[in-house]
Amino acid sequence: MKVLVTGANGQLGHDLVKILSPEHEVIGFGRDQMDVCDLASVKHTMESVVPDVVVHAAAYTAVDRAETEIDEAFRVNAVGSRNVAVAAEEVKARVCYISTDYVFDGTLDGPYREYDQVGPTSVYGQSKLAGEVLTQTLCSRYFIVRTSWVFGAHGGNFVKTMLKLGQGRSSLQVVDDQTGCPTYTVDLARFIGDLISTEKYGVYHASNSEACTWFEFAKAIFEEAGQSVLVDPCTTQEFPRPAPRPRNSVLDHLAMRTNGFVKMPAWRDALQRFLAEYLSK
Ligand SMILES: NC(=O)c1ccc[n+]([C@@H]2O[C@H](COP(=O)([O-])OP(=O)(O)OC[C@H]3O[C@@H](n4cnc5c(N)ncnc54)[C@H](OP(=O)(O)O)[C@@H]3O)[C@@H](O)[C@H]2O)c1
């Protein structure tokens, strides 16, 4: 199968190209080669590659900055996704759109299923939801894969931030009132590889198994990395950020179960594998 990956220089895009490559013919495009906001460029690229599937991982991901850069967030996440959808449809390619747990408002008691009510509270979440809607409207065959709390070897993420902070400090505070599911890019890319090889279209929640708070995640990072840093729990109120975050964004993997996909490993197992690779370099 010929697979075109957008956002190939990003955290997920990089691992998608690497992990899908042995099985498929994978062509990755970074922003410098194909700006998704440029419809003519996206159409031209799609017509010259003629992929079977497009994995659309490119996105505006600066969650806090999006609160003030509203137009730019929508330009990339809504208009850019519209462009990818239109161009893919013209060459009869299927689309796998990567989305986020931030499409939910976080007020549900318990894990979110794929067809639960969405209600993003941040500009980033709203712009990603717009991308979902445009993909669903314009593509005849699509997968929407919502993921959360992503970490991988390429690009910035919470795990790397903690490791860096831990080098200069003996203690730090981390919020303990937001719960979610960490996700390792390698495990996510493997699931996406399995998914796009099928005709099981629809919306999927894909994260590593089991949930935690950011505080619990931070503690685990230091334990697994062998860094002795005291982590103190704090509240979101004590650590305000420009963009609101869902209090609960735990993803239930209903669509994976009902479509016969193997659940992704537990996040702690994923963290151990990530650190083994990352710290060995
Ligand atoms: N990171 C998370 O915790 C998380 C959680 C839930 C969902 N997601 C979703 O997962 C996907 C992958 O995220 P990620 O963590 O890999 O993000 P990332 O590292 O920020 O990668 C996104 C990539 O998209 C590129 N991009 C931005 N604007 C573009 C444009 N106009 N044209 C082409 N490429 C453009 C960026 O290029 P530049 O570097 O040049 O800007 C970057 O390489 C995204 O859809 C994101 O919304 C991420």
Side-chain angles (χ1 to χ4, degrees):
M1 218 161 54
K2 204 187 256 190
V3 183
L4 189 156
V5 176
T6 72
N9 297 329
Q11 189 173 214
L12 176 62
H14 187 280
D15 281 357
L16 274 169
V17 172
K18 190 168 135 195
I19 281 161
L20 301 184
S21 283
E23 201 175 330
H24 304 289
E25 183 187 344
V26 185
I27 305 117
F29 288 90
R31 185 209 288 261
D32 45 344
Q33 296 139 317
M34 185 183 77
D35 181 345
V36 296
C37 298
D38 180 348
L39 180 59
S41 160
V42 178
K43 282 175 91 162
H44 174 76
T45 306
M46 214 66 84
E47 281 157 14
S48 39
V49 174
V50 192
D52 298 296
V53 187
V54 179
V55 183
H56 180 31
Y60 178 104
T61 56
V63 176
D64 287 320
R65 227 171 42 228
E67 294 299 308
T68 45
E69 294 183 356
I70 300 168
D71 287 13
E72 186 58 11
F74 275 88
R75 207 170 70 86
V76 178
N77 294 343
V79 173
S81 300
R82 189 274 317 275
N83 293 346
V84 169
V86 166
E89 191 66 11
E90 276 182 8
V91 297
K92 296 189 167 53
R94 304 175 289 137
V95 171
C96 177
Y97 173 77
I98 311 302
S99 192
T100 171
D101 54 334
Y102 284 15
V103 297
F104 296 115
D105 69 8
T107 56
L108 191 76
D109 283 327
Y112 278 96
R113 293 197 288 262
E114 285 79 355
Y115 296 100
D116 277 334
Q117 185 66 48
V118 288
T121 55
S122 63
V123 170
Y124 166 74
Q126 289 157 4
S127 68
K128 291 294 293 182
L129 180 60
E132 285 194 13
V133 172
L134 287 159
T135 303
Q136 287 172 313
T137 312
L138 297 165
C139 298
S140 40
R141 295 174 302 164
Y142 63 83
F143 309 95
I144 287 172
V145 175
R146 294 194 191 122
T147 189
S148 57
W149 297 23
V150 175
F151 62 94
H154 304 274
N157 57 58
F158 182 77
V159 182
K160 288 189 189 175
T161 303
M162 286 300 115
L163 293 174
K164 204 166 170 192
L165 285 174
Q167 279 169 359
R169 302 206 206 165
S170 57
S171 72
L172 56 100
Q173 285 194 311
V174 180
V175 294
D176 195 28
D177 56 1
Q178 292 171 28
T179 309
C181 303
T183 306
Y184 184 22
T185 46
V186 168
D187 293 336
L188 180 58
R190 284 189 184 131
F191 166 68
I192 291 169
D194 290 346
L195 181 65
I196 61 173
S197 307
T198 74
E199 292 183 317
K200 296 176 177 179
Y201 305 115
V203 182
Y204 288 81
H205 285 174
S207 58
N208 279 115
S209 302
E210 298 172 15
C212 60
T213 66
W214 289 113
F215 162 74
E216 290 163 343
F217 193 26
K219 266 181 53 171
I221 292 164
F222 293 127
E223 280 165 22
E224 296 295 347
Q227 287 183 359
S228 61
V229 178
L230 187 69
V231 188
D232 274 331
C234 70
T235 64
T236 302
Q237 256 188 337
E238 288 173 276
F239 193 71
R241 303 276 291 272
R245 263 78 174 167
R247 179 183 58 79
N248 163 39
S249 69
V250 178
L251 299 175
D252 184 27
H253 309 117
L254 174 85
M256 273 195 189
R257 290 194 301 278
T258 52
N259 284 285
F261 290 103
V262 179
K263 75 173 180 181
M264 286 163 57
W267 65 261
R268 185 123 190 174
D269 173 88
L271 175 64
Q272 287 163 354
R273 283 181 284 120
F274 167 74
L275 289 174
E277 192 200 334
Y278 184 64
L279 296 176
S280 70
K281 282 181 184 155

